Amino acid sequence: MTDRADTQEDVVLKACGIRKVFRSGADELEVLKGVSLEVRRGEMIAITGASGVGKSTLLHILGTLDRPTEGELEINAEDVLALDGDSLARFRNRNIGFVFQFHNLLPEFTALENVMLPGMIGSRPMDGVRDKAMELLTMVGLEERFEHRPGELSGGECQRVAVVRALAMNPLVVFADEPSGNLDAAASNALHEMIVELSRAEKQTFMVMTHDQNLARSLDRTGHIEAGLLHLS
């Protein structure tokens, strides 16, 4: 478990009063009603809740893919809501990783090339990017799959590639949205174990939106979204 005596310097993400209102004509739907939280380095946090309560909306805002209607958001003490589009895109590439329910791998790229992609976009030296991708794929047992394309991999293997792709830039935090939602029970369990092992080995911060109570119980802290509010233990 994460040491709760961590100092303020260990906080990698701080959100305060996050509200999100969707408008359609004269109608308004307030999905998030003032969410506040702090996430510390190396923590694994699960956020649960019924479908449609705002888990994905919260992930998109915390991951800087969307903007809140109101609220404050700092990542590594950077006011990310003050960044312009280009600056925010660079910040996101360097500091944030994503894993979604569907792996979103590029079908024409090999497993190795898919993991290298964030480093290529970030203009990192190619030798280092390739070495890091090979190291990560080997860590999750895919050393024999470097040159396989997604169509030649199982669903569980594709999700493993997606997870290590999210780690390719040594991000401050990885956001995962129902990462095992498209897998059978055995593949789901294997993926959950891999995420926990990677987090422990790499001291990697994970924030996981999930319906899976077994996964939620295996992480450091669990939050629940209900009626637009986050209750975090």
Side-chain angles (χ1 to χ4, degrees):
M1 301 292 286
T2 300
D3 183 358
R4 298 308 300 277
D6 287 345
T7 64
Q8 192 68 20
E9 286 73 20
D10 292 310
V11 174
V12 296
L13 183 150
K14 182 177 181 179
C16 183
I18 298 293
R19 293 182 63 242
K20 184 64 177 180
V21 178
F22 292 99
R23 295 182 173 90
S24 177
D27 297 327
E28 291 189 351
L29 176 62
E30 187 176 20
V31 176
L32 301 175
K33 301 179 179 180
V35 170
S36 298
L37 76 157
E38 290 186 355
V39 181
R40 291 174 171 82
R41 193 174 309 278
E43 275 194 309
M44 292 181 291
I45 298 177
I47 304 296
T48 65
S51 296
V53 299
K55 297 191 304 296
S56 294
T57 299
L58 179 60
L59 179 146
H60 290 163
I61 291 172
L62 298 181
T64 74
L65 296 173
D66 194 8
R67 299 183 68 85
T69 305
E70 293 179 10
E72 300 174 1
L73 176 61
E74 293 183 357
I75 299 177
N76 204 32
E78 177 90 33
D79 180 2
V80 295
L81 298 180
L83 299 176
D84 63 27
D86 289 343
S87 298
L88 185 58
R90 287 192 295 270
F91 182 91
R92 187 186 305 121
N93 173 258
R94 294 168 182 165
N95 296 289
I96 300 173
F98 296 98
V99 183
F100 297 102
Q101 179 175 349
F102 299 98
H103 53 74
N104 293 335
L105 301 179
L106 295 180
E108 68 274 19
F109 282 17
T110 65
L112 183 61
E113 290 167 341
N114 268 285
V115 178
M116 291 175 63
L117 190 59
M120 295 165 64
I121 293 172
S123 300
R124 296 285 180 89
M126 279 300 97
D127 286 347
V129 168
R130 184 179 180 84
D131 289 347
K132 179 68 173 179
M134 293 173 68
E135 174 189 346
L136 288 168
L137 287 168
T138 299
M139 285 177 65
V140 300
L142 294 176
E143 61 272 17
E144 302 298 325
R145 297 287 192 266
F146 287 171
E147 301 305 321
H148 288 64
R149 289 178 171 79
E152 302 170 304
L153 302 173
S154 70
E157 288 173 333
C158 284
Q159 279 300 79
R160 278 189 271 168
V161 175
V163 170
V164 297
R165 179 181 60 184
L167 299 174
M169 295 288 282
N170 297 313
L172 290 167
V173 58
V174 172
F175 294 97
D177 194 2
E178 299 288 357
S180 59
N182 200 38
L183 303 178
D184 61 32
S188 293
N189 291 335
L191 185 72
H192 299 166
E193 291 175 4
M194 186 197 79
I195 288 174
V196 173
E197 289 171 2
L198 283 172
S199 178
R200 300 303 186 211
E202 300 290 304
K203 295 182 173 59
Q204 176 63 58
T205 305
F206 274 91
M207 194 163 188
V208 183
M209 311 297 173
T210 184
H211 284 97
D212 193 305
Q213 293 299 320
N214 289 327
L215 173 59
R217 285 190 291 267
S218 71
L219 305 190
D220 295 324
R221 288 198 286 159
T222 301
H224 184 75
I225 297 181
E226 187 173 4
L229 298 173
L230 173 65
H231 307 278
L232 185 61
S233 60

